[in-house]
Amino acid sequence: MKFLYIWLSFSCFSAWAQQKSPVQYVNPLIGSAPSTTLSAQRHSEAGSELKGQISPAIGHPHGMTSWTPQTRRTETKCIAPYYYTDTKINGFRGSHWLNGSCVQDYGTVTLMPFSGQATTRPESSYSHNHEIVTPSFYSINLPDYQIQTEITATPRAGILRFKFQNEDTHFVLIEPNSDEGEGFIEIHPERREIVGYNPVHRIYQGWGESAGFRGYFVIQFDTDFEAFGTWQNTVIQMNQTKVKAHLKEEAVGALIQFASHAPTQVTARVGTSFTDLEGAYRNLKAEIPDWNFKKVQESSEEAWNRELGKVQLKGKEENKSLFYTALYHTKITPRLYSDVDGRYPGFADDSTIHTAKGFDYYCDFSMWDTFRAGLPLHVLLEPKRSADLMQSFTHMAEQGGWMPIFPCWNHYTAAMTGDHVTSAIADAYVKGIRDFDVQKAYSYLRKNAFEVNRDVKSYESGKGRRGMESYLKYNYIPLEDSVWQAFHKREQTSRTLEYAYDDFCLAQLAKALHKTEDYQALMKRALNYQNVIDPKTGWARGRYADGRWSENFDPFAIRVSFITEGSPAQYTWFVPQDVHGLLKQIGGRERFVAKLDSMFEKGYYWHGNEPGNHTAYLYAWAGEPYKTQKWVRQLISEEYGRGPGGLSGNEDGGQMSAWLAFSMLGFYPASPGRPEYVIGSPSFTEASIDVGKGKNFTVKAIGNSTKNIYIQSAKLNGKPFNKTFLTHDQLLAGGTLELVMGASPNKSWGSSAENRPSSITSN
């Protein structure tokens, strides 16, 4: 494959004198093919987890609409728009795919150039040797039609250039990709323009129902139409200007024929909006007011370099490619939802058009995944955007009546387990993010944590914690409660562990807001994990209402009913709020370490899904941080690669890449909601992070190599440093963490009790 390298000069790079800008290291195709990593192959029972589910997203960081080549026409759940192993391209999509997920695309529109005979299903073979892919530019030759296609984009609009290279009849087909058969399109030939919409439908709770808004688009061409028409399935109606689908799975669209039969170039610019057609027009006019393709491309390139350039690196080139691609993946979602004038569709059942004043409104939060590292990474690198994300949550709660659990498609979903918006907001606040209405946010977070939603209709729709009545009654969710009104049913032990952690996070926010009574109650509930960790076996386990443990217990069984996407052994470690307490619950330090060792040495650890992403960092609490250093380096080596199959599982909104980005820098937020980062083993000889206000925090790893992975000694700002964690304030203050690396572990560094990370229970 080829990559377009555009040289840009930025003053912030001058001190580092990099030969390449950060965006030049990004390979957007990583994760677009079935995984080739060793770990993913070991966990072949995971099915879709073997797919990174990445479609190359061309546009802007966190853009409303990204552009991608399309090899699959559908918006069906778990089918990404693009797969590297597919042999045909059938369009170029304005996509809202949740990167690296097993969900569905929505509100999309596809353009496909072709030549020859009119058809409603054009497609062409293609070669990756002629594919140029960067975050800001895509180019491909379609040999079946002899057409070169180029794409670049702004946050809310795209511009596509079609170079018809042969003498033939030239067409562009446009399709609103409505699997529900509700697409609409209208042609205005006198304006060289096509407008339309693709209604959005819900997923998980309320699956298939209208989400209450649409993906709108306006497409303008720089070339007159020689002929035009609409189509339904395979039937083309020339000279017809308008068509709307009326049957489920009925495909409709527009077909445009251009004036010249000789080689020619046609440019299309596309404005998109979730609000209305007027919003799509305004977004297009504001972001692409002319036909200057190069100007848009350079603006996109600059935007990516500005964000990726918050981190500057010294080290191996291949590691830079891994890191910057990972950082790119974390900056696709959450997705911008508000138009250039701030308007956006109301959340959930609120049909009002709202206006975001003083902030940008975002949605598409893969919360069960990204609360772990994705959202904490935004807090560190993009505090202004992080504040907007927290304000977006707050407005969702205002408009819907409950704080959402997993807000996607601008609606409640109740997808997955836990209530991790709580973690995200608490983590942001305790790390200094203040520019959002925290009091209002707290009131809705508290409602989630203390109230049972007894309104049957709204509960079924996804409002309120699942299984909350049982949780408040028993301090765990017993096996008798099957949690039917959820996409993930049962999974009682996982829910208990996650709610206990979320209660800890809310307690930290309550403490910061001087809500003492709430703090005390929530800190007591933060210990509820003890009710589902069997001290006899030392593993997480299902439990009945009368206190009996589940029968026929196998801690390493996958997909047991009371565990979410994993095994009891894998979920045992999800007690980030009280690792010292977990250590005691399991039976002491030696047993704790032995069980941790077995996870990695016997292959029970599964990195390709998120619940255990922090597990390798837990050795720091047990006084053996050198094992964290060992396993983090090994995970980086075995779980990630630079080829299309280089993700070990679903990317899930950027979480897998956020783990990699943090871990390659040398520290990780193992317990979001607590402003600390556990130190691992950095991949670079030097990494400098722009932490704002003109300050940088630098991690230097002296003697670092593939063999020298162990910390021998450390200094923070020139003074000896033996703690196994950094605080957020230490990062924001700027300075240098200097690590001397070696090939053998220094078992004494960081091992003493006073140097271990924080926990509810004392050492």
Side-chain angles (χ1 to χ4, degrees), residues 41 63 289 424 568:
Q41 299 304 320

Side-chain angles (χ1 to χ4, degrees), residues 425-572:
I425 293 177
D427 187 63
Y429 194 81
V430 301
K431 291 176 179 174
I433 304 299
R434 295 289 185 270
D435 195 14
F436 70 102
D437 191 342
V438 66
Q439 293 289 350
K440 190 166 290 183
Y442 182 84
S443 69
Y444 286 104
L445 293 172
R446 188 188 190 283
K447 183 178 181 180
N448 275 22
F450 284 91
E451 296 184 25
V452 175
N453 185 0
R454 301 190 184 281
D455 181 81
V456 175
K457 185 176 180 180
S458 70
Y459 182 70
E460 288 179 346
S461 184
K463 299 180 182 182
R465 289 187 183 184
R466 311 289 96 176
M468 193 59 181
E469 187 170 7
S470 291
Y471 181 72
L472 293 177
K473 181 178 179 180
Y474 298 100
N475 294 317
Y476 64 96
I477 302 178
L479 295 175
E480 288 90 343
D481 187 346
S482 295
V483 198
W484 288 118
Q485 292 159 316
F487 177 70
H488 280 250
K489 298 171 175 56
R490 301 185 178 91
E491 304 183 5
Q492 301 93 335
T493 298
S494 293
R495 293 180 197 277
T496 300
L497 291 168
E498 295 188 38
Y499 287 163
Y501 161 71
D502 292 323
D503 288 342
F504 166 81
C505 292
L506 189 55
Q508 306 315 297
L509 188 56
K511 182 179 181 181
L513 299 178
H514 307 292
K515 301 181 186 296
T516 304
E517 188 175 339
D518 283 358
Y519 169 74
Q520 293 172 345
L522 289 162
M523 285 299 286
K524 184 178 180 180
R525 283 166 46 176
L527 300 177
N528 282 346
Y529 73 88
Q530 296 171 348
N531 297 319
V532 292
I533 304 291
D534 177 8
K536 183 177 180 180
T537 64
W539 298 115
R541 194 166 178 180
R543 199 169 193 181
Y544 293 99
D546 63 6
R548 289 179 297 118
W549 295 103
S550 58
E551 301 88 0
N552 302 317
F553 178 65
D554 178 358
F556 306 110
I558 300 294
R559 311 289 192 191
V560 296
S561 66
F562 53 84
I563 294 293
T564 302
E565 296 188 2
S567 70
Q570 290 161 356
Y571 241 100
T572 296

Side-chain angles (χ1 to χ4, degrees), residues 310-474:
K310 292 290 184 71
V311 181
Q312 295 293 300
L313 305 170
K314 291 181 180 179
K316 293 183 177 180
E317 293 293 284
E318 57 265 34
N319 283 342
K320 293 178 184 178
S321 178
L322 275 179
F323 177 86
Y324 283 121
T325 301
L327 197 55
Y328 154 78
H329 282 157
T330 70
K331 293 178 175 293
I332 300 173
T333 53
R335 184 184 322 286
L336 181 66
Y337 253 67
S338 50
D339 291 340
V340 290
D341 59 1
R343 296 188 312 143
Y344 66 93
F347 185 72
D349 302 320
D350 187 338
S351 59
T352 307
I353 299 300
H354 294 264
T355 300
K357 296 180 180 179
F359 77 105
D360 290 324
Y361 178 80
Y362 291 84
C363 198
D364 283 358
F365 293 84
S366 190
M367 285 308 305
W368 188 75
D369 313 290
T370 58
F371 82 90
R372 306 167 197 271
L375 292 173
L377 189 61
H378 299 321
V379 170
L380 179 61
L381 297 180
E382 301 292 340
K384 171 60 175 68
R385 180 178 290 124
S386 185
D388 287 358
L389 301 181
M390 302 308 119
Q391 188 72 333
S392 297
F393 289 139
T394 306
H395 281 253
M396 291 173 191
E398 277 190 290
Q399 293 161 26
W402 291 79
M403 185 63 75
I405 302 292
F406 192 111
C408 278
W409 307 276
N410 209 38
H411 222 292
Y412 293 95
T413 66
M416 305 308 294
T417 49
D419 183 13
H420 301 312
V421 171
T422 302
S423 169
I425 293 177
D427 187 63
Y429 194 81
V430 301
K431 291 176 179 174
I433 304 299
R434 295 289 185 270
D435 195 14
F436 70 102
D437 191 342
V438 66
Q439 293 289 350
K440 190 166 290 183
Y442 182 84
S443 69
Y444 286 104
L445 293 172
R446 188 188 190 283
K447 183 178 181 180
N448 275 22
F450 284 91
E451 296 184 25
V452 175
N453 185 0
R454 301 190 184 281
D455 181 81
V456 175
K457 185 176 180 180
S458 70
Y459 182 70
E460 288 179 346
S461 184
K463 299 180 182 182
R465 289 187 183 184
R466 311 289 96 176
M468 193 59 181
E469 187 170 7
S470 291
Y471 181 72
L472 293 177
K473 181 178 179 180
Y474 298 100

Side-chain angles (χ1 to χ4, degrees), residues 135-414:
S136 59
F137 178 77
Y138 181 85
S139 176
I140 191 67
N141 181 57
L142 304 178
D144 294 7
Y145 301 121
Q146 290 299 300
I147 300 170
Q148 187 78 21
T149 295
E150 298 172 325
I151 308 171
T152 188
T154 65
R156 304 172 179 88
I159 185 167
L160 299 87
R161 195 157 57 187
F162 308 122
K163 298 177 180 179
F164 298 91
Q165 299 166 343
N166 61 353
E167 294 186 10
D168 209 332
T169 306
H170 306 310
F171 300 93
V172 172
L173 179 139
I174 301 101
E175 179 177 2
N177 305 300
S178 174
D179 284 349
E180 301 292 333
E182 296 179 7
F184 169 80
I185 205 160
E186 184 173 8
I187 306 169
H188 298 284
E190 73 284 359
R191 302 203 301 256
R192 300 184 299 205
E193 183 176 282
I194 295 96
V195 301
Y197 58 74
N198 180 358
V200 179
H201 294 80
R202 297 181 63 187
I203 192 172
Y204 302 124
Q205 296 305 104
W207 199 322
E209 297 175 4
S210 170
F213 69 105
R214 301 162 170 170
Y216 293 92
F217 58 87
V218 53
I219 305 170
Q220 298 175 342
F221 288 90
D222 68 345
T223 304
D224 289 333
F225 304 163
E226 181 177 84
F228 59 87
T230 63
W231 54 272
Q232 292 175 271
N233 293 329
T234 60
V235 179
I236 300 171
Q237 295 287 336
M238 297 306 294
N239 299 316
Q240 186 172 329
T241 61
K242 187 185 304 185
V243 65
K244 185 180 186 303
H246 296 288
L247 300 172
K248 185 171 176 61
E249 298 183 1
E250 181 178 37
V252 300
L255 186 65
I256 307 302
Q257 180 180 329
F258 293 98
S260 175
H261 291 260
T264 189
Q265 177 175 294
V266 173
T267 302
R269 55 186 182 184
V270 186
T272 65
S273 171
F274 291 125
T275 306
D276 49 32
L277 277 177
E278 289 74 17
Y281 274 110
R282 275 191 285 268
N283 291 340
L284 180 59
K285 183 178 180 180
E287 294 185 355
I288 308 182
D290 51 36
W291 299 94
N292 192 331
F293 187 98
K294 183 179 180 182
K295 179 181 176 182
V296 176
Q297 181 181 343
E298 289 177 346
S299 175
S300 174
E301 184 92 4
E302 181 179 356
W304 281 109
N305 271 319
R306 186 166 54 248
E307 297 226 4
L308 300 178
K310 292 290 184 71
V311 181
Q312 295 293 300
L313 305 170
K314 291 181 180 179
K316 293 183 177 180
E317 293 293 284
E318 57 265 34
N319 283 342
K320 293 178 184 178
S321 178
L322 275 179
F323 177 86
Y324 283 121
T325 301
L327 197 55
Y328 154 78
H329 282 157
T330 70
K331 293 178 175 293
I332 300 173
T333 53
R335 184 184 322 286
L336 181 66
Y337 253 67
S338 50
D339 291 340
V340 290
D341 59 1
R343 296 188 312 143
Y344 66 93
F347 185 72
D349 302 320
D350 187 338
S351 59
T352 307
I353 299 300
H354 294 264
T355 300
K357 296 180 180 179
F359 77 105
D360 290 324
Y361 178 80
Y362 291 84
C363 198
D364 283 358
F365 293 84
S366 190
M367 285 308 305
W368 188 75
D369 313 290
T370 58
F371 82 90
R372 306 167 197 271
L375 292 173
L377 189 61
H378 299 321
V379 170
L380 179 61
L381 297 180
E382 301 292 340
K384 171 60 175 68
R385 180 178 290 124
S386 185
D388 287 358
L389 301 181
M390 302 308 119
Q391 188 72 333
S392 297
F393 289 139
T394 306
H395 281 253
M396 291 173 191
E398 277 190 290
Q399 293 161 26
W402 291 79
M403 185 63 75
I405 302 292
F406 192 111
C408 278
W409 307 276
N410 209 38
H411 222 292
Y412 293 95
T413 66

